[in-house]
Structures are given as structure tokens and as C-alpha cells.
Amino acid sequence: MVFLNVKQVNAKEEDASLVECLRVLAEDRKWRADNGTFRTGYLIQLEKMMETRLPQSNLKADPHIESRVKTLKKQYNAIAEMLALGSGFGWDDVEKCLTASKDVFDDWVRSHLNAKGLRKKAFPHYDDCATIFGRDRATGLGAETAADAVEQIGDSADDDSTGGEKETETPVVGTMEDVDGSIGATSRRTGSHKRARSSDGTDELVEHLAGIKNIYQDSMQEMRTFFRKENEGIDRRLALPQALDELEGLSVDEIIKVGAYMSKDPTKVDYFFALNPSRRSAYVKILLEECSPSYHPSFDHFGFGRHGF
């Protein structure tokens, strides 16, 4: 019998709730762009949704939710790539896990490190992730569930057994979207999905273009992450004056002074909003003492005036 500790149970519950929230955002045009990516601020929205569903989890957009979204997307993409290949890979729809012989899987992992540990590892959110990330992965070509992928593999095997001809297209390179689309189209049209080496070097070209595509996607992801964090930091700094106004006992001078001091250091603003609201007054008192050594607070963080009870 396998026993799960409390942390494992909590992580499974949190992942299930996070996937539900991501699916809600993925189906909302307010949060999902036409190219399949999420719009700026979606992590903050996820934090609010998770707080409603699991208030005891105390998950924050950065770093908890952002890290889990990246992990889910990485695992989904790795599994989807193996299922698209088809040869030697399958899907157990009961256990919700990738299947493959150890030799086939180990050979694949040597050149695809993101797949490490995914063989026979339960991934119950695959179909939901196909809706959430599939469109982004396919650049508009549509998402494919695990069942779709396995069915496609079976259809291809039938074509091979009846002597059907394999159709292979040489991609015409234009924009990076063209590269992505050409690779996707070629992988879907190669009959049994086996890596047959053609005499005209088409497969080598496709593999080379796939490497270029991966570098491009990684760079774009880094840029999106950078600008998203910049925008979220700006949003927090703009929200700071109102948040300081909501604290009990701060004078106007104190609000202006500590607000100006915090705005010079984004990490102070981030930490302020990461704190439990009940502890923010104590943190502001410390910052006021930092920026004004001779400062005497007009309040204390227990809610009493400077003169006591």
C-alpha cells in the first residue's frame, strides 16, 4: 500500500485547482490572446482565484503559481511531443500516464531532457493542458488530447499495413510561424510517424528547423516573462498609495514619505504586498525608521497610539 504524506496531497489538490483556474482563463478572451498566450496580469488573477478556492494554500503569483504553471506546461509539451512521434510511445487512459519501453524512453531522454521521469508517471491534467497550452504550442493549429494522439497513431499504423504511401512535404521557410507550422504539418503527415531517413535530406532539414524554432520560442518566452514582471511591478507601485491609505493610523506625511522611499526599491514594494495585510503596518513602521532615523511613529503595529492604551 502506498501512503501519501500531507504535502503530496496538498500539492495534488493545489495543482487540480490551478488547472481549473487556468482553464477558466483560457476560455475567457479577456485573458487569452488570439495567439494562445495569456495576457499580462494573468498570474495575479490566478492568485486571486486560488485564494478563493484554497484560502489556506497562501500561494502567490511569484514565485509559487508562476513556477507551477511553467512545470505543467513543460511536462505537457514533453508528453505531447512523444505522443506526436508515436513510434514506441503510447498513453494509458486509465492510469493517465505515458507508456513506452524502457529502452525507447531512455534513448529519447538522452536528447530530450525535459521528458526525464515522465514514463509511467501519472499526469491527470493532460487533456486540460491540451486546452490550456495546446493552442500556444501549435501556434494556432489546435490542441490535441492524449486520446486524439493515440487514435492518430493507430490510423497511421492501419495506413502502413494497407500499403498506403507516405506523404512528406518539404517546408518553405518564411516567418518563425511558418517554420512552426511546417514542422507540425510534416510530423502529422509522415504516415507511421517513424523517423524514416529520406534521400533528399528533408528530415535533417526539419530537425534543424525544429532546433531554430526551440531557440526562438525560448527567447520569446524570456522576453514575455521580463515584460510581464515589469508590468506587474508597475501595477504594484501604482497600487501602493491606496494600500498605504488603507493602513490604520498613518498620517498624510507618513504615507508620502514611506511611499516615496518604497518606490525607489521595487523589492520593498513586492515584499509589502506579499505580506499578510495584518502585518503591513509593522513593516511600514520599520521602513519609516529606516528612512528617518529620528522618526517617532504616530502609531504602533498593535493598533495603539504612540502614548499607549
Side-chain angles (χ1 to χ4, degrees):
M1 180 179 295
V2 177
F3 294 93
L4 297 178
N5 61 37
V6 175
K7 288 186 178 179
Q8 287 176 313
V9 173
N10 288 344
K12 289 178 180 293
E13 183 181 8
E14 289 166 357
D15 281 347
S17 294
L18 178 59
V19 169
E20 289 178 10
C21 294
L22 279 167
R23 180 143 190 171
V24 171
L25 296 189
E27 295 172 353
D28 187 344
R29 292 182 63 85
K30 176 183 175 183
W31 293 107
R32 186 73 170 270
D34 291 339
N35 65 355
T37 59
F38 288 105
R39 301 184 190 278
T40 299
Y42 85 98
L43 288 173
I44 298 296
Q45 179 64 19
L46 282 174
E47 179 181 319
K48 295 176 182 177
M49 296 169 72
M50 290 293 289
E51 186 175 1
T52 300
R53 285 170 166 77
L54 296 174
Q56 76 280 7
S57 67
N58 199 32
L59 294 178
K60 301 300 179 184
D62 186 8
H64 310 120
I65 295 176
E66 180 180 19
S67 176
R68 291 200 179 188
V69 170
K70 284 183 178 179
T71 299
L72 285 169
K73 185 174 182 179
K74 182 177 72 173
Q75 292 178 340
Y76 164 74
N77 284 340
I79 294 173
E81 186 175 7
M82 287 182 279
L83 291 179
L85 175 66
S87 180
F89 295 102
W91 180 258
D92 186 330
D93 207 33
V94 176
E95 299 296 331
K96 300 295 182 183
C97 66
L98 180 83
T99 60
S101 69
K102 188 175 186 304
D103 290 343
V104 169
F105 185 76
D106 288 346
D107 183 59
W108 177 263
V109 169
R110 288 190 186 95
S111 57
H112 300 80
L113 296 181
N114 283 346
K116 187 175 182 179
L118 293 179
R119 175 176 173 263
K120 294 186 178 180
K121 178 181 179 180
F123 191 68
H125 311 299
Y126 183 90
D127 288 347
D128 285 324
C129 286
T131 299
I132 297 165
F133 305 122
R135 188 176 175 190
D136 184 12
R137 170 182 169 80
T139 319
L141 292 175
E144 183 176 60
T145 67
D148 293 334
V150 173
E151 182 179 355
Q152 185 176 353
I153 294 168
D155 291 343
S156 299
D158 291 341
D159 290 342
D160 286 345
S161 65
T162 56
E165 294 184 0
K166 299 178 182 179
E167 179 183 354
T168 303
E169 292 189 358
T170 302
V172 179
V173 181
T175 65
M176 287 309 301
E177 290 186 358
D178 295 332
V179 173
D180 199 4
S182 298
I183 294 169
T186 303
S187 66
R188 288 194 302 275
R189 293 171 181 166
T190 53
S192 67
H193 296 272
K194 294 180 180 179
R195 289 186 169 180
R197 297 294 178 181
S198 60
S199 59
D200 61 1
T202 299
D203 288 343
E204 288 80 0
L205 175 60
V206 170
E207 289 182 2
H208 178 67
L209 293 176
I212 296 175
K213 181 200 71 172
N214 290 335
I215 294 173
Y216 170 80
Q217 288 181 334
D218 290 344
S219 299
M220 291 302 297
Q221 182 60 38
E222 289 177 3
M223 291 177 62
R224 283 196 294 266
T225 300
F226 172 79
F227 286 114
R228 174 184 54 72
K229 289 186 175 180
E230 283 293 304
N231 289 334
E232 290 174 357
I234 292 172
D235 291 342
R236 282 193 287 270
R237 289 194 290 276
L238 292 176
L240 181 61
Q242 181 178 346
L244 292 174
D245 271 338
E246 293 172 356
L247 297 179
E248 293 286 340
L250 276 179
S251 68
V252 174
D253 287 345
E254 289 168 338
I255 291 174
I256 294 174
K257 182 177 293 185
V258 77
Y261 181 65
M262 293 172 68
S263 297
K264 295 176 183 178
D265 186 350
T267 61
K268 289 182 170 62
V269 179
D270 293 341
Y271 185 69
F272 174 83
F273 281 105
L275 283 172
N276 186 297
S278 64
R279 298 173 182 171
R280 290 175 180 174
S281 292
Y283 181 55
V284 168
K285 176 178 179 292
I286 293 172
L287 293 181
L288 283 168
E289 291 173 349
E290 278 185 14
C291 64
S292 299
S294 60
Y295 167 73
H296 296 289
S298 59
F299 72 100
D300 64 32
H301 61 274
F302 296 105
F304 304 118
R306 189 174 56 180
H307 301 293
F309 295 93

